[in-house]
Amino acid sequence: MKASRSAGLAFVLALAVAALASGCGGGDNNGPAASPTLGDIQAVALPPALVQVAEDVAQLRGLPPAEGTKLGFVRRADVPALLDKLLSDEDRTRFSQTTTLYRLLGHFRADEDYLSVYRQLGTESVAGLYSPPDKTLWVVQQGDSPPDVTTLSRETKSTLAHEFVHATQDAAFNLDAMPGEGDLDASLALTCLVEGDAVVHQSLYEAKYLSTGGVGGPKVLLAGLTADIPPSLNREFFFPYTTCADWMRTIRDSGGTAAIDALFRNLPGSTAAVLHPERGARWRPEAVALPELASGLGGGWKRESGGTFGEFEVRNYLQLRLPGLPAATAAAGWAGDHYDVYTHGDESVAVFRLAFSDEAQAAEFRSAQDQLLKAAGAKASTTDGMTVATRSDGNTTARLSSAGREVVFAIGSNVDAAKRALQLLSGG
C-alpha cells in the first residue's frame, strides 16, 4: 500500500488492503477516536540482502530502481499508531469531511467514522505500506522482534515486492505530487492506478522469483475482508486490489509497462474508465455543476466538501441495500456528476446532480434508489414535484420528480434540511 497525501491515498498499503484515497475520519463531528501510541521503531537504509529484490522488481516494472529507500518493520499492534503518525492534518480533514458524507449516505452509523475504520483496517488487514514523504517502506512483522532479512518468508518477500513497486512509482512520477485531492472519483481512480500496478507486478515477481508450482498473485495481499468494517467500506478499500488490478493487467498485456507509464503522466479521470475498460483509460465524464446553497440554507450553514462522486461510489451506495448485479446495472449509465455537502452544527445535507447516458438509464437509477430507500425502512411520499423518503432516524432523501437523463436529489440529516436544499436546487 502507498501513502500519498496529496492524492488522497493516505498511504500506499499492501493489503492483506488499500487505504483509500478518498479519505475520511476524525474531526469535530466524529465520535472521538483515541490516538494509539507508537513505540520507538526506526527505519533504516535498505539492507544489502534486499537490494536485489528491489532491483528485480524495478526491472519487471520497467523503471529504474528507487534510490534512498528505507525499510522498517512494525508489529501488527503498532500499525494503527504508525498510520496515525503518517497522517497529515489535511488527511484528517478529508477523513472528517467524508465521514459527514458517508453518514448521510448510510455507509456509517452516527457512532462510526472513517478514521476509526482506517485504524481497524490497519489492525486486521494491512501487510505493509510505503510512505512517499519519508521514502520508507514498512512491513508488518510476525511476533515482537523484526525478522532476519536474509531469511525472509515468501509472504514477506511478496509484500516487499508490492511496496518496492510503489517506491519505483514514487521515484519516477512523484506520488506525493499527483493531483486528485478532495475529489472522491479522481482520487479513487488514482488509487486504482497506483495499487493495480503494484498488485500486477507483485504477482509477476511471485511467479518469477517465488513460484512453488503455481502462479503467485494478490492472495498474499488480500487476506480477507475486515470483519468489523462496514461491507461498503470493505468494497471500497479492496476495489483497487481486485477490479483495478484486473484493469491494469489488461493494460499491461496490450501495451506493456509503457502504457502504464503513460497513465501516470496523464491520469485516468474516473472510476468509470476502470469499470468500463472498453471506453479506454482516457475517457472523461461530463462536466456537471451545482449552485452554491449555503446562503439559501440559512445563517450558519457552510459548504464542507464536494466534487465528483463517480460511478463506483454510485454503485456502492446502491449496494448498501441492493444485490451487487442490480446495483452495478443501475449505475452503469453514469456519465458524470457533482455533489456538495453542507453543515450547520449537528445538521448536514448533501446534494447530488447525476447525469446518465440517456433517460432510460436515469430511470433505472431512480427505481434502484427507490428500492434502496424502501429496504432501509424509509417512508416515501410525492408532493410539490419531489419524492421525499424519511427513515425512522430522521435521515431524509428528497429527489426531484422531473424526468430526463439527470437525477437531482438531496440527503439530509433531517427532513427540513433535505427539502430546503432540494427546493433551492429547483429554484424554489
Side-chain angles (χ1 to χ4, degrees):
M1 171 190 201
K2 167 231 165 233
S4 166
R5 295 187 172 98
S6 61
L9 315 163
F11 323 106
V12 201
L13 307 169
L15 287 182
V17 108
L20 175 72
S22 68
C24 326
D28 293 342
N29 66 334
N30 302 333
S35 297
T37 58
L38 185 65
D40 185 22
I41 59 174
Q42 301 292 328
V44 299
L46 197 64
L50 299 182
V51 170
Q52 187 62 52
V53 177
E55 292 177 351
D56 291 338
V57 169
Q59 183 177 36
L60 284 170
R61 180 55 185 82
L63 292 171
E67 297 182 1
T69 304
K70 293 181 288 185
L71 172 69
F73 288 96
V74 58
R75 298 183 308 159
R76 174 150 310 279
D78 289 331
V79 171
L82 177 61
L83 296 179
D84 258 38
K85 177 182 178 182
L86 296 175
L87 284 173
S88 68
D89 290 341
E90 291 78 10
D91 293 326
R92 293 174 188 277
T93 296
R94 289 195 299 274
F95 280 17
S96 178
Q97 292 170 350
T98 311
T99 293
T100 302
L101 174 63
Y102 280 15
R103 285 176 178 168
L104 289 168
L105 290 167
H107 295 303
F108 291 146
R109 301 186 308 266
D111 61 341
E112 293 177 315
D113 64 85
Y114 210 101
L115 180 57
S116 297
V117 166
Y118 194 71
R119 287 172 179 157
Q120 190 67 32
L121 176 71
T123 300
E124 299 186 21
S125 295
V126 171
L129 62 90
Y130 173 74
S131 174
D134 310 313
K135 310 301 179 190
T136 299
L137 188 161
W138 294 95
V139 177
V140 178
Q141 68 189 39
Q142 302 301 317
D144 292 331
S145 301
D148 180 350
V149 296
T150 64
T151 59
L152 294 176
S153 68
R154 181 181 187 276
E155 289 75 14
T156 299
K157 283 188 176 181
S158 177
T159 298
L160 284 164
H162 184 100
E163 301 309 331
F164 279 135
V165 175
H166 289 317
T168 61
Q169 293 168 340
D170 190 28
F173 306 111
N174 190 3
L175 294 179
D176 245 2
M178 293 284 178
E181 179 178 345
D183 189 283
L184 284 178
D185 195 35
S187 183
L188 186 52
L190 174 56
T191 308
C192 277
L193 172 61
V194 171
E195 294 298 347
D197 180 16
V199 170
V200 167
H201 288 90
Q202 174 196 14
S203 179
L204 291 171
Y205 179 84
E206 285 186 357
K208 184 171 183 177
Y209 295 102
L210 304 177
S211 179
T212 57
V215 177
K219 59 184 178 297
V220 173
L221 280 173
L222 302 175
L225 299 182
T226 306
D228 296 331
I229 288 178
S232 60
L233 270 292
N234 266 314
R235 291 192 294 269
E236 185 176 279
F237 287 142
F238 281 87
F239 177 65
Y241 297 85
T242 52
T243 303
C244 299
D246 292 338
W247 170 65
M248 191 55 53
R249 190 172 290 109
T250 299
I251 289 174
R252 191 187 193 280
D253 288 346
S254 61
T257 56
I260 300 175
D261 294 346
L263 283 176
F264 274 95
R265 297 187 182 99
N266 187 8
L267 297 173
S270 173
T271 54
V274 178
L275 294 168
H276 305 282
E278 70 278 2
R279 298 179 183 176
R282 305 298 182 204
W283 184 88
R284 292 293 186 270
E286 295 179 19
V288 176
L290 283 170
E292 190 279 329
L293 301 184
S295 57
L297 287 170
W301 283 90
K302 63 180 181 179
R303 181 183 180 276
E304 183 177 79
S305 66
T308 305
F309 197 52
E311 183 176 342
F312 173 84
E313 296 291 350
V314 171
R315 174 192 293 194
N316 204 29
Y317 161 63
L318 293 175
Q319 204 171 337
L320 284 166
R321 299 285 179 174
L322 301 183
L325 182 57
T329 301
W334 181 91
D337 72 50
H338 190 87
Y339 79 93
D340 287 308
V341 179
Y342 295 87
T343 61
H344 178 211
D346 293 334
E347 294 183 281
S348 57
V349 63
V351 292
F352 299 83
R353 181 183 173 197
L354 308 183
F356 289 85
S357 56
D358 54 43
E359 290 189 18
Q361 293 284 355
E364 188 162 10
F365 171 83
R366 291 187 191 95
S367 176
Q369 188 179 42
D370 287 342
Q371 294 174 53
L372 163 75
L373 295 170
K374 182 178 180 180
K379 304 300 182 183
S381 62
T382 300
T383 182
D384 298 328
M386 69 174 68
T387 298
V388 179
T390 303
R391 299 187 329 210
S392 59
D393 62 359
N395 180 285
T396 299
T397 300
R399 188 182 69 222
L400 291 180
S401 302
S402 58
R405 70 180 192 92
E406 289 190 346
V407 181
V408 179
F409 62 97
I411 305 177
S413 55
N414 57 65
V415 64
D416 290 339
K419 291 178 68 173
R420 180 57 181 154
L422 197 65
Q423 288 166 351
L424 291 170
L425 291 175
S426 64

